[in-house]
Amino acid sequence: MDYINSDVGMDSAEYKHDMARYVWGFALSVVLTLAGVVIVAGSVFSTGLAWSIVGILGIAQLIIQFWAFMHLDFSKEARPDLYLVLFTFLLIILMAAGTVWVLADLASRMGMGAGSM
């Protein structure tokens, strides 16, 4: 049995650090998800404030999952992966904003603006 544990490295400090990171990430993700459910299902806040809080909780959960499960942080080793993820977000935002811009322009040219309804 010692041969298997030493071969896998389950006694190493790196393994324990990674497991702690996974547990913290999972626990924080569950807490943030439950907080969002309570805010929406409980009708604690007004609709606009609830949307804002749930959006902030979603961004926080995204950051936690990148940190805990994808091991993205500001360390020198993870920096190329972080740059790749940030570049991907930039492309997605540019494509979504461009799509909305083109469709809004098309709607205004067809007389479907907010004033005509």
Side-chain angles (χ1 to χ4, degrees):
M1 190 68 165
D2 291 332
Y3 175 73
I4 294 173
N5 284 343
S6 64
D7 190 29
V8 174
M10 294 173 69
D11 293 331
S12 69
E14 182 181 357
Y15 175 79
K16 291 178 183 176
H17 180 263
D18 285 344
M19 285 305 295
R21 198 172 193 175
Y22 291 141
V23 169
W24 273 105
F26 178 73
L28 289 172
S29 293
V30 168
V31 167
L32 289 173
T33 300
L34 290 177
V37 168
V38 166
I39 288 171
V40 171
S43 299
V44 179
F45 302 106
S46 66
T47 304
L49 185 60
W51 274 96
S52 300
I53 293 173
V54 169
I56 291 169
L57 290 174
I59 291 170
Q61 190 167 96
L62 185 71
I63 291 169
I64 287 171
Q65 290 193 6
F66 278 151
W67 168 77
F69 303 117
M70 294 184 68
H71 300 281
L72 290 178
D73 51 14
F74 295 110
S75 67
K76 206 153 185 75
E77 296 83 26
R79 201 163 291 161
D81 294 333
L82 180 64
Y83 290 155
L84 182 63
V85 168
L86 291 175
F87 181 68
T88 302
F89 277 139
L90 176 68
L91 289 178
I92 290 171
I93 288 170
L94 286 173
M95 287 190 319
T99 301
V100 169
W101 181 17
V102 167
L103 290 177
D105 183 59
L106 179 64
S108 70
R109 289 174 187 252
M110 293 180 65
M112 297 172 53
S116 66
M117 291 184 152

